[in-house]
Amino acid sequence: SQQGEEDPQALSIQEGENATMNCSYKTSINNLQWYRQNSGRGLVHLILIRSNEREKHSGRLRVTLDTSKKSSSLLITASRAADTASYFCATAETSGSRLTFGEGTQLTVNP
Amino acid sequence: GAGVSQSPSNKVTEKGKDVELRCDPISGHTALYWYRQSLGQGLEFLIYFQGNSAPDKSGLPSDRFSAERTGGSVSTLTIQRTQQEDSAVYLCASSPRARGTSDTQYFGPGTRLTVL
């Protein structure tokens, strides 16, 4: 069953704008990871945040985690057309366990 | 270094045939995972291998699905008597899983299976 639920399901923005995607989950977790997928094939790992962390940055990406609300957000700043992809959050209940993925957010960045 | 590789990249088969999908994890990674993604859907966990431990098969959808990992490296996912609902992209991932290393899972490019 899918634990993570992303919202929105689809997001269309102009180049240079910021994109925010949200993810909610149901069970307790060890860590939460965000992945990007282009054209329905391999996933590219973006960032991992552990349950004892609240915020993490990597380049233009900023991830927050609120374990009390069981939610996370991914912010992409100064978006580019190349950021167009599907973005998935995935949770691991224990270290190294299987990942449970959400349905994903389709992001379109218009030039 | 080399990432996770999968073969074949595409497989078209007829209903009722058996198929084998192969995954070569990143060298030294002890954990290996199989997921599948149906059209327009998120990823669904299938099976997980960790070192010499018994695999976690709890995600396999039916007894037509099986997987093995030989020598702690290469893995093969076998689907017997394929059905049309088996059509999906099958993704393999590996992870270091040694103490102090990241829990990040590194994904291969996937095998797109089409059952006619």
Side-chain angles (χ1 to χ4, degrees):
Chain A
S1 63
Q2 298 292 338
Q3 156 151 272
E5 296 181 0
E6 280 97 334
D7 112 79
Q9 289 186 327
L11 180 61
S12 182
I13 59 174
Q14 295 299 122
E15 216 166 19
E17 294 180 338
N18 295 341
T20 299
M21 288 161 272
N22 302 297
C23 167
S24 60
Y25 57 92
K26 297 184 174 67
T27 68
S28 63
I29 62 171
N30 173 275
N31 66 79
L32 184 147
Q33 305 181 35
W34 284 90
Y35 287 84
R36 184 183 74 209
Q37 184 179 44
N38 291 83
S39 306
R41 295 307 288 261
L43 277 77
V44 174
H45 181 261
L46 296 177
I47 198 163
L48 180 153
I49 187 165
R50 297 201 179 276
S51 59
N52 61 353
E53 298 176 307
R54 291 297 166 258
E55 186 171 314
K56 224 172 170 181
H57 296 254
S58 177
R60 294 184 296 113
L61 305 180
R62 172 177 167 254
V63 169
T64 62
L65 179 64
D66 186 335
T67 52
S68 66
K69 295 180 179 177
K70 291 187 167 56
S71 67
S72 174
S73 68
L74 171 67
L75 169 68
I76 304 174
T77 60
S79 63
R80 305 166 182 167
D83 295 330
T84 295
S86 292
Y87 291 81
F88 294 89
C89 71
T91 55
E93 293 187 18
T94 59
S95 176
S97 68
R98 68 169 85 173
L99 292 176
T100 302
F101 284 82
E103 300 290 331
T105 293
Q106 173 60 50
L107 174 66
T108 302
V109 181
N110 301 300
Chain B
V4 177
S5 61
Q6 292 185 245
S7 61
S9 57
N10 287 285
K11 176 72 178 179
V12 179
T13 191
E14 294 179 346
K15 179 182 172 180
K17 301 280 191 185
D18 298 353
V19 295
E20 283 190 354
L21 312 179
R22 177 186 167 106
C23 172
D24 282 89
I26 294 172
S27 178
H29 281 195
T30 61
L32 187 148
Y33 310 79
W34 283 97
Y35 299 86
R36 76 173 175 182
Q37 184 177 30
S38 302
L39 186 63
Q41 308 258 330
L43 277 76
E44 172 190 7
F45 166 79
L46 296 176
I47 188 168
Y48 161 44
F49 296 90
Q50 170 54 43
N52 295 322
S53 302
D56 175 358
K57 304 180 182 180
S58 59
L60 295 178
S62 78
D63 59 9
R64 296 186 294 104
F65 288 73
S66 63
E68 62 178 22
R69 188 179 185 192
T70 53
S73 181
V74 171
S75 178
T76 302
L77 177 69
T78 301
I79 309 173
Q80 295 178 308
R81 304 182 302 282
T82 52
Q83 303 295 311
Q84 288 182 331
E85 60 262 28
D86 300 334
S87 295
V89 176
Y90 289 81
L91 290 154
C92 173
S94 71
S95 179
R97 287 299 291 128
R99 185 181 297 275
T101 62
S102 170
D103 286 324
T104 298
Q105 294 185 20
Y106 298 87
F107 281 80
T111 293
R112 185 180 299 278
L113 175 66
T114 303
V115 182
L116 302 176

